[in-house]
Amino acid sequence: MNMKVVVKIRALLEDRGLSLRELSRLTDIRHATLSELQNGKRENINFGHIERIAEALHITDIRDIIDLIHNEETAK
């Protein structure tokens, strides 16, 4: 079974009415890095970034930020 970790930045931003630039400013993470995470273009996830996103968005459950899905679901 081929699995993939997905960072749910797009949904988080939509739910909170924020832009990627605003999240970048709140977390001090480069806009380009957040964009790559949002679009599934990064091979590695920096857990420091996940922690900063959680802190900035007042998230206490990591499952609100990341999902583990079957790879065939990523093609949808």
Side-chain angles (χ1 to χ4, degrees), residues 9-27 31 34 38 53 55-59:
I9 291 179
R10 189 178 317 275
L12 291 170
L13 295 177
E14 287 175 6
D15 288 347
R16 289 162 173 80
L18 293 172
S19 70
L20 204 58
R21 289 227 181 267
E22 290 171 304
L23 183 60
S24 175
R25 183 183 54 76
L26 290 170
T27 59
H31 179 271
L34 291 171
Q38 175 177 275
I53 292 167
E55 185 175 327
L57 300 179
H58 308 288
I59 294 171

Side-chain angles (χ1 to χ4, degrees), residues 29-42:
I29 299 171
R30 290 180 336 112
H31 179 271
T33 299
L34 291 171
S35 179
E36 290 171 353
L37 280 171
Q38 175 177 275
N39 294 312
K41 304 265 185 195
R42 286 188 84 85

Side-chain angles (χ1 to χ4, degrees), residues 5-9 11-12 16 37 45-55 57-68:
V5 174
V6 177
V7 182
K8 303 185 283 187
I9 291 179
L12 291 170
R16 289 162 173 80
L37 280 171
I45 297 174
N46 180 322
F47 282 100
H49 291 166
I50 299 299
E51 290 169 352
R52 289 173 18 205
I53 292 167
E55 185 175 327
L57 300 179
H58 308 288
I59 294 171
T60 58
D61 189 340
I62 195 169
R63 293 173 294 184
D64 292 341
I65 302 173
I66 61 174
D67 266 336
L68 183 62

